[in-house]
Amino acid sequence: MTPTASLTSLTAAQVHARLAELTVIDVRTPGEYASGHLPGAHNIPLDHLDSALPALEAAAGRGDLLLVCASGTRSTQARERLARYGITAADLTGGTNGWIQLGHDVLRPAGARAVWAMERQVRLAAGSLVLAGLLTGRRRPAARWLAAGVAGGLVFSALTDTCGMAKVLAKLPHNRPRAADLDATLAALSG
């Protein structure tokens, strides 16, 4: 493949019609993936994408790749990153949320413990930090800087469409893939 790999997005209707011929890569955290994913999807969290490049390149050589996340933001980032390495992929417009809203089925592994979506985890962490900063600031005014720092981070996140807090939260144990699961996924994509 060439370094100028094309960048495309597919609608849920287009994906539904072609699902059997696509290799679907879900770039959400394992907990989010367990809460419901497209049939046949493989889980490679966004922060493990670089280590999965050889397997993704092999899979792309056999057919079209589709990248999926909750809303489309992380899968677009993943698609753009893969394009820099010459790997062509498409992303699902509206993500898994859009897929579900249109009534398409998602799979949930039996016995898997679903984790809150990353956006919800960020809202809980940011709100808790702001509240803690404000409450503690009643007795120790310097603690208000915590609330100000989080507010500044949220503004920066909105302006850049990135989220530092999500990157930190993704490192928590419930958001990390088990090494054996990731290895099995990479082996399946490589072979």
Side-chain angles (χ1 to χ4, degrees):
M1 296 201 181
T2 65
T4 57
S6 64
L7 304 177
T8 59
S9 295
L10 298 174
T11 66
Q14 291 170 315
V15 169
H16 191 260
R18 297 185 53 206
L19 189 58
E21 65 190 61
L22 297 169
T23 299
V24 181
I25 308 298
D26 193 317
V27 299
R28 297 176 298 161
T29 66
E32 292 175 293
Y33 173 81
S35 69
H37 57 272
L38 272 69
H42 301 276
N43 185 221
I44 301 177
L46 184 59
D47 61 341
H48 284 80
L49 202 62
D50 289 340
S51 64
L53 286 172
L56 292 169
E57 188 170 30
R62 292 189 304 275
D64 293 334
L65 289 181
L66 175 71
L67 302 169
V68 179
C69 68
S71 66
T73 301
R74 286 178 279 177
S75 59
T76 299
Q77 293 169 359
R79 176 180 47 104
E80 292 169 352
R81 189 181 309 171
L82 291 181
R84 289 194 295 268
Y85 291 99
I87 301 172
T88 303
D91 64 79
L92 175 60
T93 303
T96 306
N97 294 340
W99 178 265
I100 292 169
Q101 286 175 351
L102 291 175
H104 299 306
D105 289 335
V106 293
L107 299 179
R108 291 175 179 84
R113 185 176 66 88
V115 174
W116 285 359
M118 185 57 67
E119 180 185 341
R120 188 173 179 191
Q121 292 180 52
V122 167
R123 289 192 315 253
L124 175 67
S128 297
L129 289 170
V130 168
L131 187 59
L134 292 174
L135 291 175
T136 305
R138 295 179 71 198
R139 292 196 185 233
R140 300 197 187 280
R144 291 184 189 142
W145 285 107
L146 175 62
V150 172
L154 291 171
V155 169
F156 179 80
S157 175
L159 293 174
T160 62
D161 200 20
T162 61
C163 187
M165 190 175 288
K167 289 179 182 177
V168 171
L169 292 172
K171 301 206 181 298
L172 293 175
H174 65 274
N175 285 327
R176 306 292 301 160
R178 290 187 351 215
D181 293 342
L182 187 56
D183 289 346
T185 297
L186 297 179
L189 291 172
S190 295

